[in-house]
Amino acid sequence: MYQPIILGSILLVTLYILKRMRSPKLNMPPLVRYKYPIIGHTYDFLTNGEEFFKQCRKEYGDIFSLYVWGEVRTFIGKEHFQEVLSRDDSFVFGKQVDIDSIFKHNIKFTNRPKVIKDYVLNKLKLYTERMQESLNVATQKYIGDCDEPNEESQYEEVIVTFSELTIDTTKLLRIPPILNFIYPGLQAFINNSILSLGIYNPAINHQKVLIKHLKNQFCKRLQEKVKYGDSWKRPDDFIQNIMEEESFDPNNINYEEIADKLCLLIVVSVHTTANSCTHAIMNLASRPEYMQELYEEQLEVQKEADENGILPFEALNNMKKLDSFIKESFRLSEHVATLPHVTSKDYTFSNELQVPKDHSIYLYVDDIYLDESLQGPNPQSFEPFRHLNTNASASKVSKNYVVFGGGKHACPGRQLAVNEIKFLHNIILKYNLRTESGKIEGPKMIGTIKLPSNAGIIFEKRK
Ligand code: HEM
């Protein structure tokens, strides 16, 4: 009868000893004092992120550690964060989710920046123009003249996959990692085992949808190419690129692999951009007083449009005020602490503090964004034209702006993302926006995380 209790106690003691043995003899960053055993700083982290971090920074300096969810995490402020971004031999970005266990067929897709360059950046101009056309259609369809209901398209399930894949893929990550209180990393180990053993795959239904539509597209294109011969108009997109790769064999198409490639592109690009765009729209609706100035700029830009209302790629460079607005929105919508990294070996910071291999590192980005010397006067206030004439656009990474990371691994899709958000152009020209409450609707805070507010927005068609 007592056996399970005895065995359980032995297991807990063993785990405790193992945990102690992991603590290395390094000159570690100061661990902020905590009141509650076992949960450590988890409660403050979840309930009072902003203020708690400010207090820790004030008392402990630029680098400090917190005991959160059963692990010691080190947070790096404005003086040392560049070391994390530039030393990719020591810090590896975002290892919390084992993405390769979800997209198992994606074995060849290892050099992600190169893939983005080959499939996306080499066609930035083409895709920016195409995005503009699609966004014009979508704005008309989903917002329209603010009077008619909208219809479903024949690709509705693909659209659902694009919009929900990331949320579904990261489902396990959103479970509070309480198992880490027993042993650091236990929750991630179990999550990753569930994924790699194939017990559960949150992306499976989306993969099936993509495979179904990919099959239709491949089949249609192969037939049309034969039927129309030289007069066939080659579609210029991701699918066509894949079909023209040397290794592509029309008689033996690996649909799973292609769908997984597409899934990975969706995961890195769609949710990030949509989230930032939602923040920008909410910030715009919250501050109708800036609408007129932005409207006038966009009216001027619109003069460059062709007879179908489509802007040339170069016109995006003339949206200076909108660019500054977007950058300000990015700046004040970033989480308090973000850009999770893991150390790939022991590392000594330039101030002599040391962190061991396999240690969790986060950037305390509020320390960068709320610093007057880095951001100018009133860094905490939203000033839409703060970045005008600074010669640093919304897609440019710099020492006071790390929305897209930095160093060799800075986000390779950042220009595409900013270009896409700049097609707020269309919204600004068509509508007046305001929040339903008539107040400024700031981001929704969950601990240190800032989510776009889900407050209502009123779109009013311009007369
Ligand atoms: C507003 C939208 C976006 C934000 C905020 C964002 C942010 C980031 C950040 C912070 C990183 C990590 C950088 C680092 O390690 O220093 C990153 C990496 C990456 N992003 Fe983005 N991103 C966005 C849109 C996109 C888009 C549209 C694409 C693709 C078309 C993309 C593709 C990637 C890839 C492939 C990486 C990995 C780079 C590497 O490992 O070297 N991102 N992104």
Side-chain angles (χ1 to χ4, degrees), residues 83 149 160 171 199 342 380:
E83 288 183 45
V160 170
K171 249 181 194 161
I199 299 168
V342 173
Q380 69 292 342

Side-chain angles (χ1 to χ4, degrees), residues 78 331 366-380 386 400:
K78 64 183 180 221
R331 183 179 78 89
D366 256 14
D367 197 40
I368 303 164
Y369 292 138
L370 300 182
D371 182 277
E372 198 164 311
S373 66
L374 290 172
Q375 308 296 338
N378 303 323
Q380 69 292 342
R386 179 188 294 278
N400 67 353

Side-chain angles (χ1 to χ4, degrees), residues 84-86 91-94 109-116 120-121 264-277 330 334 338-341 363 397 402-418 420-421:
V84 178
L85 295 178
S86 59
F91 300 97
V92 184
F93 174 64
F109 196 25
T110 44
N111 188 348
R112 283 161 200 166
K114 180 167 181 332
V115 175
I116 299 294
V120 184
L121 297 189
L264 219 79
L265 277 178
I266 296 171
V267 167
V268 292
S269 61
V270 175
H271 200 71
T272 43
T273 312
N275 226 26
S276 310
C277 192
F330 269 126
E334 258 220 286
T338 183
L339 283 166
H341 286 73
L363 303 195
V397 292
V402 291
V403 166
F404 296 106
K408 210 156 79 184
H409 292 281
C411 172
R414 59 193 186 277
Q415 205 181 335
L416 185 81
V418 171
E420 185 164 1
I421 301 173

Side-chain angles (χ1 to χ4, degrees), residues 66-201:
L66 298 177
Y67 186 57
V68 183
W69 291 119
E71 68 165 2
V72 175
R73 297 181 184 175
T74 296
F75 295 85
I76 318 288
K78 64 183 180 221
E79 286 153 30
H80 295 89
F81 76 92
Q82 292 283 11
E83 288 183 45
V84 178
L85 295 178
S86 59
R87 295 294 305 268
D88 71 334
D89 59 328
S90 304
F91 300 97
V92 184
F93 174 64
K95 268 180 73 181
Q96 299 85 342
V97 71
D98 186 3
I99 209 93
D100 296 336
S101 298
I102 301 178
F103 306 123
K104 290 188 179 40
H105 306 279
N106 207 1
I107 37 173
K108 293 188 194 143
F109 196 25
T110 44
N111 188 348
R112 283 161 200 166
K114 180 167 181 332
V115 175
I116 299 294
K117 184 165 177 280
D118 293 349
Y119 291 118
V120 184
L121 297 189
N122 286 345
K123 298 181 173 194
L124 194 60
K125 188 167 184 288
L126 173 79
Y127 283 161
T128 300
E129 281 172 15
R130 193 173 290 168
M131 238 156 39
Q132 186 184 175
E133 283 169 19
S134 303
L135 287 169
N136 285 358
V137 173
T139 310
Q140 191 53 35
K141 181 179 157 194
Y142 290 105
I143 312 175
D145 294 332
C146 306
D147 52 10
E148 75 263 25
N150 47 45
E151 301 156 20
E152 293 214 334
S153 90
Q154 57 170 319
Y155 296 119
E156 204 62 35
E157 60 178 356
V158 181
I159 295 173
V160 170
T161 282
F162 269 64
S163 70
E164 290 181 6
L165 177 70
T166 313
I167 290 286
D168 288 347
T169 304
T170 51
K171 249 181 194 161
L172 286 180
L173 258 191
R174 278 176 281 125
I175 301 173
I178 42 178
L179 295 180
N180 289 352
F181 288 130
I182 301 175
Y183 190 74
L186 183 59
Q187 184 87 43
F189 174 76
I190 293 198
N191 289 354
N192 291 337
S193 305
I194 291 173
L195 296 172
S196 55
L197 294 172
I199 299 168
Y200 168 67
N201 185 342

Side-chain angles (χ1 to χ4, degrees), residues 292-305 311 425 428-430 462:
Q292 186 59 25
E293 208 166 335
L294 290 167
Y295 176 64
E296 282 164 17
E297 180 184 73
Q298 298 312 313
L299 267 184
E300 204 48 42
V301 172
Q302 184 61 16
K303 290 182 183 157
E304 299 172 55
L311 293 172
H425 164 81
I428 294 170
L429 285 181
K430 269 192 161 158
R462 285 184 185 276

